[in-house]
Every structure is written in C-alpha cells, then in structure tokens.
Amino acid sequence: MSNVETIKFGYLASKGTAEVKEMPLPELKPDEVLIKQEACNICTTDYQQWQGLREHQGYPMAGGHECSGIVMEKGKDVKGTFEIGDRVSVVYDYCGYCEECMHGEVTSCENKKQFGKNYSDEYYGLFGFANYFVRPAKSLMKVRKDLPASQAGFVEPLSSVIQNMKKIRINAGRDTVVVIGGGTMGLLNAAAAKAMGARVIVSELMEKKLQIAEEMGFEIIDAKETDPVAKVKELTAGKGADIVIVAVGVTAANNQALEMVKAKDGKISLFSAGYPAPEISVDSNAIHYMRLELIGTFGSTLEDFSDAANMLSEGRVDVSKLIEQSIPLDNIQEAFELASKPGSYRVSVKLN
C-alpha cells in the first residue's frame, strides 16, 4: 500500500499566473490506479489559457493532459490490466456508456467535459501537473517501461495525428505528403506520415524549425527564401503533392495548399484551427473537377490512443527533438513563460 497522503500540483490561478499547491490525495476506488506522475508537457491549449486566450475554460485550472507516470497502486477490480511498475500515459476521462464513447469517440464524451471539474469540485482540468494522482484504469494507456517520461507524454497529441493519418489514407511508397508548418503538431504529422511510408516535405518560415525538421529526416522548403508552391511542383516533377497537411491555422496556408496539391485526386487535411478563424478560397466546381478531398480532423478515439502508445513504444515515431526543455514543478510559472514563446516546441514539467 502507498503511504502517499497529499499531492503537489500546478494550476492556473488566473491569466498569466501559474502556481503550485498541495491537497489531500483522492481515495483510491476499486476501478482506479494511483500514478506517480513523472512528466507533463505544456500543450498549446495550456499556455494559451495562461496567455488569456482561452479564459472560457475556467479558473482555477489544474490542467495538463500530456502526462505520463508509473503505476504505484491499483484498486481490486483492476486485476491484470496494469501491474505495479508499469509506465502509463494519461487519456482524457470519459464515461464509457454514452453514444460517443460506445463508438470509441472518447474525446467527444457527452457526460464528461474534457477540461471540466471531473476530478474536483473546485478545480477544472485533469491534474496533469500533479506529482501523484488517482485515475480510472480505463483512462490510461500502457507504454514501454524505458520510454522517457516526457516522450511518453506524447501519446495524447500523437493520437490526434493518428486519426488524421487514417483519414488521409497514405499509399506507402507512392505518396508525397507536404506538411505546411514545422511546429510540434506539424512535425508529429510529418513523423507519422513518414512511418507510414510517405515521402515527406516540410514547408516552414522559421530557421529553428527548419533545422529540427531536417534533423528529423524530412525534406524541407524554406518558405521565406522560395515560393513553396513552385518548389513543391519542382520537387514532384510538376505533379504537385498527393496530400497536403495544413498544420498552421492561417488563411494563407489554406490557399497555398490548394495551389500545391495535385490536379486530380489530391487530398488536403485541415489539421489546425486558428484564431481568428482562417478562411479557404475554393469554389465547388474546382473540388468537383479535381476530385479533391478537403479533410477535417479533430480529437481521438480509444483506438487512436492505443495506436499512438504502440508507435511510441516501438520507436516508429521519435519525438525526442520535439522537447524544448524540462522544468521542475516548483518553477511552473517559468515553464509557461518558456512554452508560450513563439517557435517553442514542448516544455516538459518534471513532477517528481
């Protein structure tokens, strides 16, 4: 039995203010697991609320959802699903019985709000920035034991990329995929597409991101030095990209994708949202005659989470270069300051 009685956790008290607090450890129920949480990466959703751009999510926000740790104790009903010492990554909480959950669409659960007060009457959020926490066993995915904690935290973002991969249906060894945007989610899409057999080209403006993309083994287009559309046509012998993934939420990128996709049976994945909302200028005749697919994707299914955990565990997707820096929990305010700087990759908060 664990002797942990209190937990220490990071939370957003208000715009621009991240603090650390202690509270009693919740009681372990029969279907739950006590996790010694080791690392939680700061997602765009997290730092945008810190910046005041997502205040509708509510304060105090005990957020963080790209989290991983070690099983310390389990309830009597968990049985052999998890064993003490297993490394796990956290999945959103969900009810398991609504229509969405019955189809595996757990990020659209009708009864558990994604960042609601599911674990506390006082705090919103998943308590990803807590050093210990008690969670339902169904809200965890097992990963390889020696996978570094910060890398294991990528199960959640990679799961949304996996859903995108399933929608764009890559033809291994044949398709050229262009990713517009070399941020964390852009390069995750690039890595997954390459693992699935595509030729991958990343178009980006920032020198730092171009360098990381090149180090990860992708062809690159420096969009500040050359016309990306013309370069894609050059690199594909005039054909254009089979698939374009728009991983930045801006109108210019959407319209650029229309110009660089091939003239027949091409696909454009609108992976990223943007605020204010981006637009896309295309008439229905063009979609009709090009047989063009405009693909929307959001969220993850349980299968996507499982596939993401397997891909990371097997080393098919390497996210080591997407971790900018590690910061201890006591310095969580500094961590949010670093994570919100333009061009940053993931900042990982070390919890123990």
Side-chain angles (χ1 to χ4, degrees):
M1 296 292 289
S2 167
N3 58 2
V4 179
E5 295 181 356
T6 61
I7 64 171
K8 186 162 72 170
F9 65 99
Y11 71 101
L12 299 181
S14 60
K15 174 184 174 180
T17 305
E19 298 179 349
V20 176
K21 195 171 183 178
E22 290 194 13
M23 65 180 281
L25 178 73
E27 182 182 348
L28 183 71
K29 296 174 183 173
D31 63 344
E32 292 181 333
V33 174
L34 171 63
I35 308 298
K36 179 183 180 181
Q37 300 189 157
E38 295 186 317
C40 188
N41 304 330
I42 297 178
C43 171
T44 306
T45 303
D46 300 318
Y47 75 68
Q48 282 185 343
Q49 184 172 359
W50 179 84
Q51 291 174 314
L53 301 176
R54 291 176 179 252
E55 294 195 307
H56 63 277
Q57 292 177 173
Y59 299 107
M61 171 60 74
H65 54 273
E66 298 184 5
C67 177
S68 75
I70 303 294
V71 173
M72 300 290 290
E73 188 177 338
K74 58 183 190 175
K76 64 180 177 64
D77 292 346
V78 177
K79 312 266 183 226
T81 309
F82 297 102
E83 301 297 344
I84 306 303
D86 281 347
R87 178 173 296 286
V88 293
S89 184
V90 172
V91 174
Y92 294 114
D93 195 20
Y94 58 97
C95 72
Y97 53 80
C98 71
E99 187 173 353
E100 292 286 347
C101 286
M102 293 293 283
H103 290 91
E105 298 281 353
V106 294
T107 54
S108 302
C109 177
E110 297 167 14
N111 295 310
K112 296 276 189 180
K113 190 178 175 184
Q114 223 171 56
F115 301 111
K117 292 183 176 180
N118 299 331
Y119 293 99
S120 165
D121 292 332
E122 181 180 357
Y123 293 92
Y124 295 94
L126 293 172
F127 285 84
F129 298 116
N131 60 349
Y132 291 88
F133 209 66
V134 169
R135 301 188 180 279
K138 65 182 171 61
S139 294
L140 301 168
M141 286 288 165
K142 194 182 301 186
V143 294
R144 194 181 78 230
K145 283 191 177 183
D146 62 348
L147 186 67
S150 298
Q151 294 184 35
F154 274 82
V155 166
E156 188 276 334
L158 182 57
S159 71
S160 67
V161 169
I162 297 297
Q163 181 172 117
N164 189 37
M165 294 297 113
K166 291 173 182 176
K167 288 198 158 198
I168 63 177
R169 308 182 312 281
I170 289 169
N171 291 306
R174 289 172 47 195
D175 281 350
T176 294
V177 174
V178 175
V179 179
I180 301 177
T184 301
M185 299 311 295
L187 295 188
L188 263 186
N189 269 283
K194 187 175 181 182
M196 293 180 178
R199 174 193 181 189
V200 179
I201 303 168
V202 176
S203 176
E204 172 56 51
L205 290 161
M206 291 185 64
E207 186 175 341
K208 167 187 169 181
K209 292 181 177 179
L210 286 164
Q211 181 181 338
I212 296 296
E214 194 167 33
E215 289 175 5
M216 290 179 70
F218 310 124
E219 296 177 63
I220 60 170
I221 296 174
D222 186 341
K224 71 180 183 300
E225 297 292 336
T226 188
D227 175 5
V229 174
K231 192 65 177 176
V232 167
K233 295 289 178 67
E234 177 190 326
L235 292 171
T236 58
K239 185 183 85 166
D242 297 287
I243 301 166
V244 182
I245 298 172
V246 185
V248 285
V250 294
T251 298
N254 290 344
N255 292 331
Q256 205 173 77
L258 287 167
E259 294 182 54
M260 64 175 60
V261 74
K262 66 183 182 181
K264 180 184 175 185
D265 292 330
K267 302 168 195 168
I268 296 174
S269 168
L270 300 168
F271 184 84
S272 291
Y275 300 92
E279 297 179 352
I280 184 166
S281 301
V282 59
D283 63 70
S284 59
N285 281 357
I287 298 172
H288 170 73
Y289 287 114
M290 292 173 69
R291 306 202 308 204
L292 175 66
E293 293 184 53
L294 298 179
I295 297 169
T297 182
F298 173 74
S300 316
T301 65
L302 271 180
E303 182 182 69
D304 297 330
F305 280 108
S306 178
D307 290 345
N310 289 335
M311 288 188 83
L312 288 167
S313 294
E314 293 164 5
R316 294 178 62 202
V317 171
D318 180 1
V319 296
S320 58
K321 292 187 182 296
L322 299 180
I323 300 162
E324 182 95 359
Q325 200 167 341
S326 295
I327 302 291
L329 175 59
D330 286 339
N331 298 342
I332 195 167
Q333 176 72 7
E334 178 191 353
F336 271 91
E337 291 169 1
L338 289 169
S340 62
K341 286 183 178 178
S344 293
Y345 289 102
R346 287 296 193 258
V347 172
S348 188
V349 179
K350 293 296 185 180
L351 304 171
N352 273 277

